[in-house]
Amino acid sequence: MNRHRRDDARLANEDIKIKTSFESYMRKVNSMNYLLHATAIAGLAAATSIAHADAGHGNNADIGQEGDVSNIDRVVEVSMDEMRFDPETVDVEKGETVRFVVSNDGRMVHEFNIGTDQMWEGHETEMRRMMQRGMMTGRALNHDKMREAGMMHDDANSALLEPGETAEIVWTFSGSAKIGFACNVPGHRQAGMVGEFVSSAKVATN
C-alpha cells in the first residue's frame, strides 16, 4: 500500500513538472509571437512612413535636384490661380538651375510640385489624407497639425501655398525623367492644373 502511495506521489510530482514545463514553454512561445508581431508592425509602419515621405517629394534623383542659390541661371515667375498655372509651359535646359518665384493668386490652396505622373499619384493620396485629418482645407492650411504629423511640405521640389502666399524653389534640371509641374490638392490636377517643362534637347518634357 505504501509503495502504491509513493508511486502516486511520484506521478503527481511528474505531472506538476510537466505542467510547469509546458506553461513555461507556452510563455516563451507567446513572448516570441508577440515580438514577431511587434517587429512586423514596426516594419510596416516604417515602410509606410518611407512611402509617404517619398511620394511626390524631391527624393528621386532622376527628376533633378535642389539647386545652388549662389549659381542661378535665371528666374521664372509662376502664378497659380483656380485650376491653372501661368505660364503653363516653361523652357529649360539640362543642367540649368532655375529660381521659381511661385505665387498663389487664387482663392484656394494650391501647390507647385515638380515631379512625374507616378510621383503625383502618390502625393495626391497623401494630401487627401491630410484633408481627412484636418491638416488642410480647400482654402487654408493648419500648420500646427501638419507639424505634429511631420508633414510640413517643405520639400525642395514643392511649394504648398495658401491664397496670397509666395514661395521660391531653386531647382537644377539634371535628371532624365519626363517631368512637369502640378498641383496635387485633390481634384486640381484632374481639373487641368498641370504644366510642362520643354527644351530643345527634349530632356525634360511632361
Side-chain angles (χ1 to χ4, degrees), residues 42-199:
L44 178 60
T48 302
S49 175
I50 292 170
H52 288 167
D54 290 342
H57 304 293
N59 300 323
N60 184 345
D62 203 36
I63 70 170
Q65 61 192 35
E66 182 176 7
D68 182 353
V69 296
S70 65
N71 189 28
I72 295 172
D73 295 305
R74 60 194 175 94
V75 177
V76 174
E77 295 184 355
V78 179
S79 171
M80 300 188 295
D81 206 332
E82 266 54 85
M83 310 312 156
R84 66 185 298 269
F85 292 103
D86 183 20
E88 296 180 341
T89 302
V90 177
D91 295 325
V92 298
E93 296 297 334
K94 189 166 187 178
E96 185 177 30
T97 298
V98 179
R99 182 200 301 273
F100 293 96
V101 181
V102 184
S103 59
N104 184 352
D105 300 313
R107 293 176 297 173
M108 306 177 70
V109 171
H110 290 301
E111 180 191 42
F112 179 86
N113 184 287
I114 298 173
T116 65
D117 287 334
Q118 183 178 5
M119 291 172 64
W120 295 333
E121 289 292 337
H123 190 43
E124 183 177 340
T125 299
E126 177 183 325
M127 295 189 75
R128 187 175 294 109
R129 188 177 297 108
M130 289 175 61
M131 297 188 80
Q132 293 170 346
R133 296 179 180 178
M135 298 180 208
M136 62 180 289
T137 66
R139 297 182 183 274
L141 302 173
N142 189 322
H143 294 287
D144 289 337
K145 287 188 176 182
M146 291 170 65
R147 191 176 297 107
E148 289 173 4
M151 301 171 72
M152 282 303 297
H153 277 69
D154 53 359
D155 302 277
N157 68 318
S158 181
L160 180 64
L161 304 176
E162 292 183 324
E165 289 186 327
T166 299
E168 294 187 356
I169 292 176
V170 178
W171 197 253
T172 298
F173 291 86
S174 57
S176 58
K178 293 182 179 181
I179 64 174
F181 50 97
C183 175
N184 292 295
V185 174
H188 290 201
R189 182 165 55 93
Q190 291 80 354
M193 201 165 179
V194 182
E196 62 178 348
F197 295 118
V198 297
S199 74

